[in-house]
Amino acid sequence: MRIDAILSGEGPVFSFEFFPPKTPEGERNLYAALGELQALEPSFVSVTYGAGGSTREKTIEIVKRIRDEYGLEAMAHFTCVGATVEQLRATLDEMRAAGIDNVLALRGDPPAGEEEWIKTDGGLEFSRELVQLISEGYPFAIGAACFPETHIHAESPEADLEHLLAKVEAGVDFLITQLFFDNASYFDFVARARSAGVKVPIIPGIMPITRVGQVERMAQMCGAAIPAELRRELHARGEDAEAVLDFGVAYATLQCAELLAAGAPGIHFYTLNRSPATRAILSALKLVRPWEKAVYAGSISSPSATRGEPSAAS
Ligand code: FAD
């Protein structure tokens, strides 16, 4: 089923992101996590596309397996890295033959150790071109990335937003944000995107913190700010892994509850192929149902409204 159709249904969508593992042990962990998270009935799951297209076969294989064996809707991430247009088309053909309905169209990052993005000869420069290639020739629902705190290589927040609008207009059905730890950055970004003319749902991406060093590395890589108070609390727990995990679950649960109460269309969880934190957060959210307590339900998800405007339903 197409994710844009899922998004037009009732209630928030919850999705889980996994990455293709490199080892047999990693593979066992992935399917164990999937088995545990399956009971939470996610609206869809997504599978990343490794740097340099290194997981092409694996991404498609895992997406297929999730659909066929777990009965869950699954989306394949796809990047422009290291491929000519002809090769990109060949992979898209493979996805279509595999019965995939949803693709997250991305530019991708430079290979490890390289700073600058260099387009492959005969390939594509920006994700907008990939979106165009897909929307002109394939029946997939198309998702794309967006960056509440601005993409690290953008010339400016304004330029980043202009490029985002052009990408959406090329055929994007929904957006998923980069991870962030301060909801104010999401609310501000959605308001700016709506006034710039971006009309599609913007699903917040949340990564539950499970390890201090790891989250600091990832936040730095993708330009997500860790608020000073949050960093202080994390460091106060030092090497106590269990205390960090408990705190990470509590923090992300409150973050998600606030987002959903403000009308966010759902939550995309960056699971890092582990289940306990995401499972605890989503189970609690499903019990408390903060979206039903929304004061301004629909304000964030509605294309025509910005935060703080009462929707017709309120
Ligand atoms: P683009 O939309 O092409 O933007 C890249 C940069 O170019 C931005 O700074 C933008 O402002 C600028 N730009 C865009 N158009 C123009 C233009 N016409 N002129 C000048 N500048 C322009 N990476 C992977 O390798 N595999 C994955 O599976 C993966 N999954 C992801 C999932 C999510 C939800 C997110 C948020 C990111 C993911 N990434 C993944 C990372 C992503 O590939 C990188 O963040 C990449 O650097 C940017 O991708 P993009 O699709 O946003 O690029």
Side-chain angles (χ1 to χ4, degrees), residues 208-258:
I209 297 173
T210 54
R211 284 185 247 164
V212 181
Q214 181 188 51
V215 78
E216 288 186 329
R217 264 193 318 279
M218 293 184 79
Q220 194 186 4
M221 263 163 43
C222 68
I226 302 181
E229 303 84 344
L230 173 59
R231 198 183 288 272
R232 199 168 51 238
E233 288 296 333
L234 290 171
H235 282 279
R237 282 152 183 82
E239 299 301 305
D240 185 344
E242 205 178 321
V244 171
L245 183 75
D246 289 347
F247 176 72
V249 166
Y251 189 84
T253 307
L254 289 172
Q255 231 196 318
C256 295
E258 185 184 45

Side-chain angles (χ1 to χ4, degrees), residues 41 202 224:
E41 299 177 344
I202 303 176

Side-chain angles (χ1 to χ4, degrees), residues 48-49 77 106-109 127 147 151 154 160 163 167 270:
T48 65
Y49 199 75
H77 296 209
L106 303 145
R107 186 196 70 179
D109 280 322
S127 65
F147 298 81
H151 184 260
D160 206 26
H163 300 317
K167 166 160 88 175
Y270 293 104

Side-chain angles (χ1 to χ4, degrees), residues 149-230:
E149 294 170 270
T150 303
H151 184 260
I152 44 169
H153 296 135
E155 307 112 74
S156 67
E158 294 74 24
D160 206 26
L161 203 51
E162 263 173 47
H163 300 317
L164 179 67
L165 180 62
K167 166 160 88 175
V168 170
E169 287 178 341
V172 170
D173 297 298
F174 59 95
L175 293 164
I176 301 181
T177 76
Q178 182 57 277
L179 58 93
F180 58 89
F181 298 103
D182 181 355
N183 285 350
S185 62
Y186 172 82
F187 294 135
D188 174 61
F189 171 71
V190 173
R192 286 190 294 118
R194 295 289 178 242
S195 46
V198 174
K199 295 195 169 92
V200 296
I202 303 176
I203 306 174
I206 297 294
M207 191 181 78
I209 297 173
T210 54
R211 284 185 247 164
V212 181
Q214 181 188 51
V215 78
E216 288 186 329
R217 264 193 318 279
M218 293 184 79
Q220 194 186 4
M221 263 163 43
C222 68
I226 302 181
E229 303 84 344
L230 173 59

Side-chain angles (χ1 to χ4, degrees), residues 6-146:
I6 299 175
L7 276 158
S8 66
E10 283 293 301
V13 300
F14 294 108
S15 52
F16 304 144
E17 180 173 309
F18 297 99
F19 62 85
K22 292 201 175 86
T23 62
E25 193 198 350
E27 190 133 339
R28 281 193 295 279
N29 290 343
L30 165 67
Y31 288 108
L34 253 168
E36 278 159 18
L37 292 171
Q38 186 184 20
L40 289 163
E41 299 177 344
S43 316
F44 67 93
V45 303
S46 78
V47 183
T48 65
Y49 199 75
S54 55
T55 64
R56 190 170 64 91
E57 300 298 339
K58 270 270 168 237
T59 298
I60 297 178
E61 177 197 312
I62 296 169
V63 166
K64 237 172 108 29
R65 192 164 162 192
I66 291 171
R67 286 190 55 161
D68 297 347
E69 291 180 26
Y70 292 80
L72 298 173
E73 190 46 68
M75 169 168 74
H77 296 209
F78 189 38
T79 76
C80 310
V81 178
T84 61
V85 169
E86 206 180 316
Q87 288 166 329
L88 292 170
R89 281 211 179 95
T91 304
L92 289 164
D93 289 341
E94 236 179 280
M95 291 181 185
R96 181 160 55 184
I100 289 172
D101 287 334
N102 303 288
V103 173
L104 191 71
L106 303 145
R107 186 196 70 179
D109 280 322
E114 286 176 35
E115 267 295 296
E116 205 188 333
W117 161 257
I118 298 169
K119 146 184 172 183
T120 302
D121 272 350
L124 303 177
E125 175 125 37
F126 298 113
S127 65
R128 177 183 44 77
E129 299 161 83
L130 183 60
V131 169
Q132 200 162 341
L133 182 76
I134 300 173
S135 68
E136 284 171 1
Y138 297 86
F140 306 126
I142 306 173
C146 63

